[in-house]
Amino acid sequence: MSANTLSHVAETAAPETHRPNQRSTTAARVRHALGLVARVLLCLVFGLPLLFMFISSFKPDLQIFADLGGIKAFLPVGDLSLDNYLGVFDRVPFAQFMFNSIMISVVTVVLGVIVNSMAAFALARITFRGSSIVLGVILATLIVPFETLALPLLWWVNKLPFFGPGGFTEGWLDTYQVQIIPFIANAFSIFLFYQYFDSIPKELDEAAKVDGAGWFRIYRSIVMPLSGPAVATVAILTFLPTWNQYLWPLMSVQSEELRPVMVGIDYFKQLNVSWGQIMAYASIITAPVLALFIAFQRSFINSIASSGVKG
């Protein structure tokens, strides 16, 4: 067979060889395009309400309702001003509310990370009889809604002793600690830490014990430094419900100087309701939540993606 004949056979056979690769490439492009469309749709579903809230915070009430029927509701057009934001500070003691929420949330997150991680460390790394039963009881509390416990908890905190400026008094109502201490221990946070700690090789504990380290040293110097994604996840999941707490402060706090930002929304529902000011208030109190997620999003996503498996 001549060289020309061989080259002709090779040229005619080549397309047949590359067809499967072309089909797989086309399928991959289609999957990529569908995934991109799905992500865009999800962004619209979750992002448009936030965009509407932010844009409406610059509009007067009449224009907000006039723009509801069209695309103008999501566009910064019309009579835009900062009057709603200025009205927020005139209508409520916003600085005090913001300070209270930040202080309560930060303290709850810090203490929650410490307490829940130590409880999970004991269950995951220290072998003792009945540890599985203890973990099961802790997880069983997740099925009990907070609304069921609110009234009994309110009665209990009203009976607890409190050391204040005037000495010991009875009752924690209308204090900062009543908004912090009941929410430090969290069953879901303990479970997250437990899953993550259980995936860390226990040979590290044995090596540390040979060097004379105790359990607290192992927890502080070995396990916790390796658990950054779990800490970030617990911090976000603790911060969100604490920041959004409404029912409990409404029941347990009466003084205006102790109220968090969520209770402050009620001030805008009294007398003349101003929807523009409500949108401005909601935009301001949403900013810390977005900032926290942006700061810890990489660790949060890594923790969720790994599903408790340390790689």
Side-chain angles (χ1 to χ4, degrees), residues 215-284:
W215 284 118
F216 184 75
R217 180 67 180 275
I218 295 173
Y219 160 81
R220 179 175 59 87
S221 301
I222 297 177
V223 174
M224 288 302 289
L226 295 175
S227 305
V231 172
T233 303
V234 170
I236 292 176
L237 296 181
T238 303
F239 180 87
L240 289 178
T242 305
W243 184 264
N244 295 326
Q245 192 71 260
Y246 174 80
L247 177 63
W248 182 249
L250 198 64
M251 296 171 59
S252 60
V253 177
Q254 299 298 324
S255 299
E256 188 176 78
E257 60 270 15
L258 299 176
R259 289 174 176 170
V261 290
M262 289 302 166
V263 179
I265 295 179
D266 287 342
Y267 286 67
F268 298 93
K269 302 176 184 177
Q270 302 169 2
L271 300 178
N272 297 325
V273 178
S274 175
W275 291 103
Q277 292 182 3
I278 292 177
M279 295 298 177
Y281 188 85
S283 298
I284 297 175

Side-chain angles (χ1 to χ4, degrees), residues 24-284:
S24 62
T25 302
T26 303
R29 290 176 178 175
V30 171
R31 287 195 298 268
H32 177 73
L34 292 176
L36 183 61
V37 171
R39 287 193 289 269
V40 170
L41 291 177
L42 287 176
C43 288
L44 292 176
V45 169
F46 291 103
L48 285 179
L50 294 176
L51 180 62
F52 171 76
M53 176 186 69
F54 181 70
I55 295 299
S56 298
S57 66
F58 295 98
K59 299 179 180 180
D61 291 354
L62 293 178
Q63 186 174 346
I64 292 176
F65 289 104
D67 294 343
L68 282 179
I71 193 64
K72 290 183 178 181
F74 304 97
L75 299 177
V77 295
D79 185 14
L80 305 179
S81 67
L82 296 175
D83 292 343
N84 291 326
Y85 288 91
L86 298 176
V88 166
F89 291 91
D90 292 336
R91 195 159 184 172
V92 300
F94 179 78
Q96 184 64 44
F97 290 168
M98 181 64 76
F99 169 79
N100 292 339
S101 286
I102 292 176
M103 190 273 294
I104 292 169
S105 299
V106 170
V107 173
T108 303
V109 167
V110 173
L111 295 179
V113 168
I114 295 173
V115 171
N116 295 318
S117 62
M118 293 181 71
F121 178 83
L123 293 171
R125 315 294 287 191
I126 303 176
T127 303
F128 61 93
R129 182 177 298 179
S131 60
S132 58
I133 297 177
V134 174
L135 180 62
V137 172
I138 292 174
L139 295 180
T141 62
L142 291 173
I143 66 175
V144 182
F146 175 75
E147 289 75 10
T148 305
L149 305 174
L151 287 178
L153 182 60
L154 188 69
W155 185 86
W156 275 111
V157 296
N158 193 38
K159 298 297 181 180
L160 292 174
F162 170 62
F163 182 76
F168 280 100
T169 58
E170 182 178 311
W172 283 13
L173 298 183
D174 210 24
T175 59
Y176 281 119
Q177 65 265 25
V178 77
Q179 304 178 70
I180 297 174
I181 295 179
F183 306 99
I184 293 175
N186 183 274
F188 189 66
S189 297
I190 293 175
F191 178 70
L192 282 177
F193 275 125
Y194 175 86
Q195 289 290 93
Y196 206 91
F197 291 168
D198 193 51
S199 67
I200 298 176
K202 295 186 178 180
E203 289 77 7
L204 297 175
D205 300 356
E206 302 299 329
K209 288 180 182 179
V210 172
D211 294 336
W215 284 118
F216 184 75
R217 180 67 180 275
I218 295 173
Y219 160 81
R220 179 175 59 87
S221 301
I222 297 177
V223 174
M224 288 302 289
L226 295 175
S227 305
V231 172
T233 303
V234 170
I236 292 176
L237 296 181
T238 303
F239 180 87
L240 289 178
T242 305
W243 184 264
N244 295 326
Q245 192 71 260
Y246 174 80
L247 177 63
W248 182 249
L250 198 64
M251 296 171 59
S252 60
V253 177
Q254 299 298 324
S255 299
E256 188 176 78
E257 60 270 15
L258 299 176
R259 289 174 176 170
V261 290
M262 289 302 166
V263 179
I265 295 179
D266 287 342
Y267 286 67
F268 298 93
K269 302 176 184 177
Q270 302 169 2
L271 300 178
N272 297 325
V273 178
S274 175
W275 291 103
Q277 292 182 3
I278 292 177
M279 295 298 177
Y281 188 85
S283 298
I284 297 175

